Amino acid sequence: MDPLPAGRLAPPPLYGLVLAGGRSTRMRRDKAALAYQGRTQLERAMALLSAHVARAFVSVRADQGSDAVRARFAQISDAHENLGPIAGLLAAQAQHPEAAWLVLACDLPLLDEATLTHLLRARDPARTATAYRSSHDGLPEPLCAIYEPRSRAPLAAYVAAGKQCPRKFLLGADTLLLDEPNPRALDNINTPEEYGSAMATLTAESSATTRHITVQYFALLREQAGRREEALVSAARTPRELYAELAARYPFTLAPDVLRVAINAEFSEWSTPLADGDAVVFIPPVAGG
Amino acid sequence: MFRFTHTPIDPQALRAQLADPACGGYAAFEGWVRDSHEGMRVRRLEYEAFEALAVREGERILAEAIARFGVAHAACLHRVGELAIGELAVWVGVSAPHRHEAFLACRYIIDEVKQRVPIWKKEHYVSGDSGWVNCERCAAPPAHAHRHLHD
């Protein structure tokens, strides 16, 4: 293998770390285990992270390794006690000092793909860290941030000096600060009230992207679907997308170009946006008379 | 008046509804169940309709006929369900001051109904096969694909 050209180093691998070692004191329940739309927050965070990093780990306290929520993921155990979130990052850097770490808190239910993607695109590996500037107080958000390998020595020195606030560490370090694309994405939840509010927000968002649609089938399509009618929740935005979704489920033989579409018992276009509650009929070639 | 019925059509009763002292002409069309289709011997038929839209579209066709040809009254009744050979599948009736526009409107209505109204016909053949008219050949055949144009 040829050596790398002088002055250019291979970029460090990017690993991911979800911090799930908190005590959830104010929530009075394990925040990693809180469920949103059928998945625990830890599963959601790991799924978001895993798409972007070479390896993803969950950061745990030494006594949490075998609990059911955490046990299914690769783990890194804290080596320090009572140091807060910074202990997780220290342990990860000790285990893989060559890696850059994308660190996520486990209490960010509104964190979205756009926020993560923007952080990754804007990242500057030549800086110590890349982080968001809080939309609330303008300070760095340390728990949705990328820590480059070069942050390891100053972070160790910071902790050795008796400090443990990761936000202040980023303030004093060479941190690239970004504005959040979605100002609520990094709202963390600490109380049962905040949990309820986050769930309501997620439910409202998901109902904005899926619709309740009734489909009625006639003639050949009725026979091929094996039913006269069904109610579904679909992400299809148009009849064209809905027919494609149904054609993947049923052995339809009629191509869209021989069908017509009706929405709410009126002829419609294939590209008409579907609305919640719409009743859709795909009309096979007619043969009255 | 555009309607569907599950029971046999009685043309005499329908004709009476179009009577009008101002009309000197009445034209009607009856569509009957034939015993063959494209060389296949047909045993019976099944009609199905998306009635909510079909009635709207049918009413639009009747209104168009009245506006376009100046006829006085127009009506259409279509059977749905199972039909035997020889049964009346569709009836169209028009009354007008004169015969010419009555004939034209009657022809217009049956032609448009066949093209536009969501009604489907399933033929059951003597051979034991069955098929939805205009649909089966639209299916993309796996081997020798060709696009079937509707008439």
Side-chain angles (χ1 to χ4, degrees), chain A residues 1 15 22 41 49 79-80 96 107 116 126 133 147 170 172 175 181 204 231 235 257 260 262 268 273-274 276 279:
Chain A
M1 200 173 115
Y15 289 175
Q41 177 54 28
L49 193 63
H80 299 77
H96 295 284
D107 60 357
L116 217 48
R133 186 183 288 114
Y147 295 82
L170 289 179
T175 303
D257 60 355
R260 295 188 72 188
S268 177
L274 290 172
D276 198 51

Side-chain angles (χ1 to χ4, degrees), chain B residues 21-122:
Chain B
C23 291
Y26 161 77
F29 172 80
E30 295 183 7
W32 300 349
V33 177
R34 192 179 50 220
D35 71 355
S36 69
H37 176 70
E38 296 186 348
M40 304 278 281
R41 293 189 57 208
V42 175
R43 194 158 46 101
R44 61 185 174 89
L45 285 188
E46 210 178 302
Y47 279 103
E48 178 172 341
F50 172 18
E51 295 196 22
L53 177 56
V55 168
R56 285 184 179 179
E57 188 70 354
E59 294 284 4
R60 280 194 284 259
I61 291 168
L62 297 177
E64 287 163 16
I66 289 168
R68 184 177 297 209
F69 303 104
V71 297
H73 308 284
C76 179
L77 191 66
H78 204 294
R79 270 288 290 277
V80 285
E82 301 254 340
L83 278 80
I85 303 298
E87 278 201 273
L88 189 45
V90 58
W91 175 90
V92 178
V94 175
S95 56
H98 304 284
R99 69 184 181 287
H100 181 64
E101 52 270 28
F103 276 124
L104 292 177
C106 190
R107 174 72 191 253
Y108 175 82
I109 291 165
I110 187 61
D111 286 352
E112 294 297 308
V113 166
K114 288 173 81 88
Q115 292 280 334
R116 291 163 50 185
V117 179
I119 302 167
W120 301 275
K121 175 163 60 178
K122 187 174 191 176

